[in-house]
Amino acid sequence: MIGRSGKTGAVSLKMSQFILAMDASTIFFACVMGLQTGWPLLLLACVSAATKLVIMWLFRWEKTSAAAQVKRQALA
C-alpha cells in the first residue's frame, strides 16, 4: 500500500522501531535458548524484523523519492 500510494498513512515509524527492538531482543533470546529448541522463535522474530526493516525503508523512500511524490500527486 505504501509503495502504491506514495504515503505511509497511519503507519507509525516509532512503533516500527520499537517492534524492531523487541524483535532484536527476541532473536538474542532464541539464540541463547539454542537453535534446537529456539528455532521457531528465531524464525518468527527474523521474519518480523525483516518486515519492519522494509517498512522503515519505505518511510525513507516516501521522503526522498521522486516516484513517491508523483504517486502522491496522482492520488490528490
Side-chain angles (χ1 to χ4, degrees), residues 2-75:
I2 295 171
R4 282 189 276 163
S5 68
K7 297 186 286 187
T8 54
V11 179
S12 171
L13 178 61
K14 290 189 185 281
M15 182 62 77
S16 293
Q17 291 169 337
F18 177 71
I19 293 171
L20 181 63
M22 286 187 345
D23 290 336
S25 67
T26 303
I27 289 169
F28 177 73
F29 177 64
C31 289
V32 170
M33 285 175 62
L35 289 178
Q36 192 160 6
T37 56
W39 72 266
L41 192 58
L42 183 62
L43 178 64
L44 179 72
C46 286
V47 170
S48 178
T51 303
K52 291 304 167 191
L53 287 171
V54 168
I55 288 173
M56 290 191 304
W57 178 82
L58 284 170
F59 269 93
R60 185 175 184 277
W61 173 80
E62 178 205 16
K63 290 182 182 179
T64 60
S65 173
Q69 185 176 12
V70 169
K71 289 180 182 198
R72 284 191 301 274
Q73 289 174 351
L75 291 174

